[in-house]
Amino acid sequence: MNTPAPPSKTRASESASPAGPGSAPAGSPPPDADGPAERIEVREFENLYQMAVAQFQRAADMTELRPSLRRILSEPKNEIIVNFPARRDNGEMELFRGYRIQHNNILGCYKGGLRFSPLVSLDEVKALAAWMTWKCSLADLPFGGAKGGIQIDPNAYSKAELERITRRFTHALGNNIGPDYDIPAPDMGTNAQTMVWMMDTYMNTVAYAQKNVVRHVVTGKSVAAGGSLGREEATGRGTVYNIASWAVERGMDLAHATFSVQGFGNVGSWAARILQNEYGGRMLAAQDHTGSIYNAQGIDADELARHVEAHKGVKGYPKADAIDPEDFWRTKVDILIPAALEWQITEENAPHIQARLVAEGANGPTTVRAERLLLDRGIDLIPDILCNSGGVIVSFFEWTQNKRGETWYLDEVRHKLKRRIADSYDRTTQAMNRYNCTRREGAMIVALNRVAGAYEERGIFP
Ligand code: NAD
C-alpha cells in the first residue's frame, strides 16, 4: 500500500462537465479559464472556489500565462469523494461524506490539511486545495496542493466517535493518500490526535515490514508519535514572523503594538502568545464561535488559552468584557489577525476596521471587495498563502525528519522557519515592486511562476 496506486474514486478534471455541484451557480459561471479574467476588484463570488480561481486568473493575466496552463491549473487534478459509515456511541450507524481534493502535484507530493467542520463543502475544499498549491510553491517546498474535509461538527461527537470516523475515513481513502504521494495534516477541527489516528490506521494496512517507514503519511503528529518539535505552534509563529517582516519594513516597533484575534484555536492562540511573549504586543480583543471579548488594558494570551482549553471558547473569560460581534471588528488596534473561517472580513465590516495591518492567519478570510476597501483606506494586508505558510513549512520539516530518521532541535526548527518566511516575504515584495501590484497578487505571481516553470520544462506526458 505504500506504493501509490492511481486514485480509485476520482472525477478527472479533464472532464468537460462543470467542476462539481455548487461550483457554478446559475447565472454566475466560474471565471473562464481561457479568457482574460475580469478585474477581481469589482467582482464578488458565490463560492470560495470561484474566488480562488479568480485570484489565480489575475496572476495568470499579469504573467501572460499560456492558455493551456490556465486550463490545467484552473481545475484540481483529482476530486475524491468517499461515503463511509461509522458507529456512534449508542450503537447506531451514521453515514459520512469525506472529500480529498488533489489540486496539483507538479512540484511534489500532494500536501494539505484535513478539516472537520459543518461548513465543509466540495467548493470550499477545492479552493483550499488550490491555495495549498500556491502556498507550497511560494514557500519553495517540494510539495503540491491538496485538502480534505468531512462535513461534521466535531463538538457534536465524542472522542471515541471522532476516532472511529477518522479511522474509517482513512481506510476509505486507501491508496489515495500515501507518505510519498498525498500527505494530510491538521486544519480546522482536527489536531495532532486526529493525525496520529490516521497514521496508525494507515500503518496497519501496509505490510508488516513497511510499518515504520510510512509514518510520514501525515504531518502534524504529536511528538511522541513522530511529529516535529515546533509543529503545533508553526502556523501562528509563521504568522508572527510575517508580521515582524512587515513591521521592519514600516519601521514599527512591535513592543508597542496592539492587536486583535478572530479565532482562538491553533493558529490564533499561538499567534497571540508569540506576538505577546516574544515581541511585546498587547491583545485588546478576541472573538471565537462562543463570543467576543475586549479589555483596553490588554488580555493575557496565555491565560486566555488556558480559559479556552477549559471552557471550549473565549466566552466567560473573567478579565475582559463581553462585546457585540460587530464591535470586535471596530476595535482600534495596529494588527488584526483573522484566524478562524473564510469570508469574515466583508463589505459590511471592512469600512469599520481600524487597523494598520490585516494578517491572514486563516485561509480566505477576506472577500475581494473587502480587500479593495481595506487597501483603499491604506490598511495593508498579508495574504493567507504567505501569512499562514508556517504550518506547511514545518510539516515539510517533519516529513523530512521522518524520512531521514532524524529529530531536530526546537531552535533549529524555529530558525529554519524564520528564514523561509523571510525569504517568501522578500520574494513577494520584489514581485509587488516589479508588477506594481498588491501583496496578494505578488505572492500569487511568485507561486505561479514556479509552477508554470516546472510545466514549461517538463511538458505534458506523453
Ligand atoms: P481550530 O479548529 O484550531 O480553531 C478554529 C477557531 O475558529 C476556533 O477558535 C473557533 O472557535 C473559531 N471559530 C469557528 N467558527 C467561528 C465563527 N463563526 N466566528 C468566530 N470564530 C469562529 O483551527 P485552526 O487550525 O486554528 O485553523 C484556523 C484557520 O487557519 C483556518 O482557516 C485554517 O484553514 C487555517 N490554517 C490552519 C493551519 C494549521 O496548521 N492548523 C495552517 C494553515 C492555515
Side-chain angles (χ1 to χ4, degrees):
M1 183 161 162
N2 56 325
T3 313
S8 55
K9 299 174 184 173
T10 64
R11 291 195 289 120
S13 59
E14 294 81 2
S15 153
S17 61
S23 65
S28 176
D32 181 358
D34 272 342
E38 290 180 47
R39 287 284 172 264
I40 63 173
E41 296 92 319
V42 296
R43 285 198 54 173
E44 208 53 286
F45 303 97
E46 293 187 30
N47 71 57
L48 209 61
Y49 188 60
Q50 290 184 358
M51 181 169 111
V53 173
Q55 289 171 349
F56 155 71
Q57 294 286 358
R58 179 89 176 115
D61 278 352
M62 296 174 88
T63 56
E64 298 179 1
L65 187 71
R66 282 204 285 143
S68 57
L69 279 184
R70 277 178 190 256
R71 274 200 298 278
I72 290 169
L73 293 168
S74 294
E75 292 284 356
K77 281 185 105 169
N78 303 310
E79 298 176 28
I80 302 152
I81 301 175
V82 290
N83 296 305
F84 60 94
R87 199 182 300 280
R88 300 293 307 261
D89 288 341
N90 64 7
E92 292 292 319
M93 215 75 92
E94 189 172 328
L95 190 69
F96 298 90
R97 171 166 293 189
Y99 302 95
R100 186 70 184 169
I101 305 297
Q102 297 165 333
H103 178 259
N104 192 272
N105 64 347
I106 189 88
L107 297 178
C109 305
Y110 296 111
K111 185 84 190 78
L114 173 66
R115 179 176 282 201
F116 287 177
S117 151
L119 302 177
V120 163
S121 69
L122 181 61
D123 287 310
E124 181 191 70
V125 185
K126 282 169 65 176
L128 294 164
W131 284 328
M132 283 307 296
T133 297
W134 310 127
K135 198 178 298 182
C136 292
S137 177
L138 175 62
D140 222 359
L141 303 178
F143 288 143
K147 203 80 178 193
I150 305 178
Q151 194 195 68
I152 52 166
D153 176 0
N155 297 316
Y157 294 87
S158 71
K159 188 174 177 192
E161 288 172 332
L162 288 173
E163 175 173 357
R164 289 194 291 273
I165 293 166
T166 304
R167 287 183 182 276
R168 283 302 307 240
F169 179 52
T170 308
H171 190 261
L173 285 174
N175 278 348
N176 290 297
I177 59 169
D180 295 297
Y181 179 61
D182 182 354
I183 305 135
D187 192 77
M188 211 155 91
T190 59
N191 54 27
Q193 175 65 81
T194 322
M195 293 304 112
V196 175
W197 289 329
M198 286 193 91
M199 179 194 76
D200 186 72
T201 307
Y202 188 85
M203 277 178 154
N204 277 290
T205 60
V206 295
Y208 197 70
Q210 297 291 315
K211 274 194 191 336
N212 276 314
V213 293
V214 297
R215 65 180 66 231
H216 54 298
V217 65
V218 289
T219 58
K221 304 179 286 286
S222 66
V223 174
S228 175
L229 291 171
R231 173 59 184 88
E232 197 197 318
E233 63 174 31
T235 310
R237 181 169 288 281
T239 298
V240 175
Y241 287 159
N242 270 293
I243 293 169
S245 291
W246 174 86
V248 168
E249 205 176 79
R250 299 296 149 118
M252 180 179 170
D253 182 0
L254 287 177
H256 303 296
T258 55
F259 66 95
S260 57
V261 182
Q262 189 206 30
F264 216 74
N266 175 284
V267 180
S269 73
W270 278 111
R273 282 177 274 181
I274 294 164
L275 197 48
Q276 169 188 290
N277 298 335
E278 298 180 23
Y279 292 83
R282 190 158 47 100
M283 178 165 65
L284 301 189
Q287 179 182 84
D288 73 0
H289 71 289
T290 64
S292 307
I293 57 172
Y294 172 78
N295 184 337
Q297 306 310 312
I299 299 169
D300 184 85
D302 292 300
E303 260 190 47
L304 183 61
R306 284 193 291 274
H307 176 88
V308 169
E309 174 82 28
H311 302 277
K312 306 285 169 233
V314 303
K315 190 176 173 188
Y317 179 66
K319 296 185 183 170
D321 297 325
I323 54 171
D324 283 341
E326 298 78 37
D327 289 338
F328 167 82
W329 301 106
R330 295 171 189 266
T331 306
K332 190 168 187 321
V333 283
D334 295 307
I335 301 151
L336 167 62
I337 305 173
L341 307 170
E342 47 265 15
W343 283 358
Q344 295 300 296
I345 301 179
T346 63
E347 280 175 280
E348 278 73 47
N349 57 23
H352 308 297
I353 287 174
Q354 302 186 66
R356 293 174 66 184
L357 174 70
V358 171
E360 291 188 334
N363 286 306
T366 314
T367 69
V368 172
R369 284 188 184 146
E371 179 171 352
R372 177 47 57 207
L373 288 170
L374 294 176
L375 297 178
D376 286 349
R377 293 179 53 225
I379 300 172
D380 209 346
L381 184 145
I382 305 178
D384 45 11
I385 62 168
L386 172 62
C387 197
N388 67 37
S389 60
V392 74
I393 291 172
V394 178
S395 274
F396 165 60
F397 297 162
E398 178 177 334
W399 185 74
T400 305
Q401 289 171 72
N402 288 165
K403 277 169 84 82
R404 292 186 189 162
E406 292 178 0
T407 53
W408 297 355
Y409 294 109
L410 183 57
D411 59 352
E412 210 177 335
V413 169
R414 288 178 177 170
H415 174 74
K416 286 179 197 283
L417 171 64
K418 193 173 195 171
R419 181 149 184 215
R420 276 190 182 261
I421 293 279
D423 277 357
S424 299
Y425 191 93
D426 288 348
R427 279 183 278 119
T428 299
T429 306
Q430 283 162 21
M432 281 172 75
N433 293 336
R434 179 166 169 214
Y435 288 86
N436 189 24
C437 63
T438 68
R439 201 179 302 275
R440 191 186 305 283
E441 289 163 349
M444 273 299 302
I445 287 169
V446 175
L448 178 55
N449 279 343
R450 183 165 170 241
V451 170
Y455 271 104
E456 291 298 347
E457 292 191 8
R458 281 175 56 168
I460 293 167
F461 175 83

